[in-house]
Amino acid sequence: MKKVLLILFGFTISVVEAQAGSENVSYSTENIFMRANRPTTKEYVIDGSPYTTGDKFSKVIIKGFSKDVQDLRYNAYEDEMEFKKGEELFYANKADNVKIQFPELNKTYESLTYTYDGKTKSGYLVLLVDNPKFSLYKREKMELLKGEKSTNSFTKDANDYYAKEKDIYLISRDKKFSKFPKNISEAAELFSIDKKELESFLKSNKINFNREPDMIKLVEFINK
């Protein structure tokens, strides 16, 4: 009898541990805010901000989801959407292809699993052009840099600080991601468009491959 009880007790512990270990698993859109993880509290001072949407939490719209929608902010260092319940900070669960609109910021993030530079990532990209043919995304990222050590005993060491990495622009076609082209030749090959037609459009619209508004204009032209 004791052996049976011990087996049952052990099984119960295993189930509880398995459930606890899956706290960041999202089974449906409705679980975005239901099974969220708490971020690790940093115990030292870091200068700057990891938030590309600002430190405050903003109202969001999630299509097809109206239940208990929390105000969010995007942590570009952790690649997480954060929200608060009371005084506690949580991460929203990632669910593929969920679009999160920030109306006040005129900005939309999409949660995606994507492959770029030979690595598969699961995170948020800013959606700039949404089209079944070619979509344009922007990856925002903050890095954490070490503060400089003081060279004498009279001044303090500088704190570690957040610094914005250069944005990366990605083209999506059939769920495959490529870096945005750097020139006419790369663009003609990527978009499978006649080079002369492309040159004419670029010249008449004074398109700069490094400017976001021009990137959007080019992708919208290609999609027509």
Side-chain angles (χ1 to χ4, degrees):
M1 184 65 180
K2 286 183 179 179
K3 286 184 179 179
V4 172
L5 288 173
L6 284 171
I7 291 169
L8 289 174
F9 180 69
F11 177 76
T12 302
I13 290 174
S14 298
V15 171
V16 170
E17 286 177 346
Q19 290 174 340
S22 63
E23 279 300 294
N24 201 35
V25 176
S26 178
Y27 295 102
S28 71
T29 308
E30 293 183 358
N31 284 327
I32 290 174
F33 303 108
M34 297 296 291
R35 299 172 60 82
N37 260 4
R38 293 184 62 184
T40 303
T41 303
K42 291 181 172 62
E43 298 180 354
Y44 62 99
V45 176
I46 302 174
D47 291 337
S49 170
Y51 305 109
T52 56
T53 55
D55 290 352
K56 77 166 194 169
F57 295 88
S58 300
K59 297 285 183 186
V60 299
I61 298 171
I62 304 175
K63 189 176 180 180
F65 184 82
S66 59
K67 183 181 177 182
D68 193 28
V69 177
Q70 306 292 321
D71 293 351
L72 296 173
R73 66 185 179 190
Y74 177 57
N75 186 325
Y77 174 68
E78 301 287 356
D79 196 12
E80 299 283 0
M81 288 290 175
E82 296 181 349
F83 66 95
K84 262 189 171 182
K85 280 194 174 182
E87 293 303 311
E88 292 185 299
L89 189 66
F90 295 88
Y91 289 153
N93 286 311
K94 295 184 177 85
D96 270 0
N97 306 119
V98 170
K99 297 183 178 83
I100 302 173
Q101 299 176 38
F102 287 78
E104 294 175 12
L105 305 172
N106 192 28
K107 208 170 189 179
T108 298
Y109 288 83
E110 185 171 352
S111 175
L112 291 164
T113 298
Y114 62 100
T115 299
Y116 166 71
D117 201 20
K119 297 178 181 177
T120 299
K121 306 173 188 293
S122 179
Y124 296 95
L125 297 175
V126 181
L127 179 59
L128 299 175
V129 177
D130 188 8
N131 192 287
K133 192 174 180 182
F134 291 101
S135 292
L136 175 63
Y137 292 91
K138 175 172 66 174
R139 192 205 72 170
E140 299 174 325
K141 184 67 178 173
M142 292 286 186
E143 59 181 334
L144 183 60
L145 300 179
K146 285 287 184 184
E148 292 185 5
K149 294 288 184 182
S150 173
T151 56
N152 57 63
S153 58
F154 300 103
T155 57
K156 296 191 301 183
D157 294 341
N159 295 326
D160 294 349
Y161 61 98
Y162 291 110
K164 193 175 189 301
E165 292 185 14
K166 186 178 180 181
D167 293 331
I168 294 175
Y169 292 86
L170 301 171
I171 293 291
S172 170
R173 183 183 188 184
D174 299 327
K175 297 184 179 180
K176 294 179 182 177
F177 286 78
S178 307
K179 198 167 183 179
F180 191 85
K182 299 191 295 289
N183 51 51
I184 294 174
S185 296
E186 286 187 8
E189 182 179 353
L190 177 63
F191 297 123
S192 301
I193 187 173
D194 180 74
K195 194 171 181 179
K196 289 184 178 179
E197 182 184 356
L198 180 60
E199 284 176 343
S200 175
F201 172 79
L202 296 175
K203 187 176 180 179
S204 61
N205 288 274
K206 298 179 180 178
I207 296 296
N208 184 325
F209 282 90
N210 296 312
R211 290 185 67 248
E212 185 176 301
D214 289 353
M215 294 180 189
I216 292 172
K217 190 180 293 185
L218 174 57
V219 176
E220 288 177 340
F221 165 73
I222 296 295
N223 284 325
K224 288 180 181 178

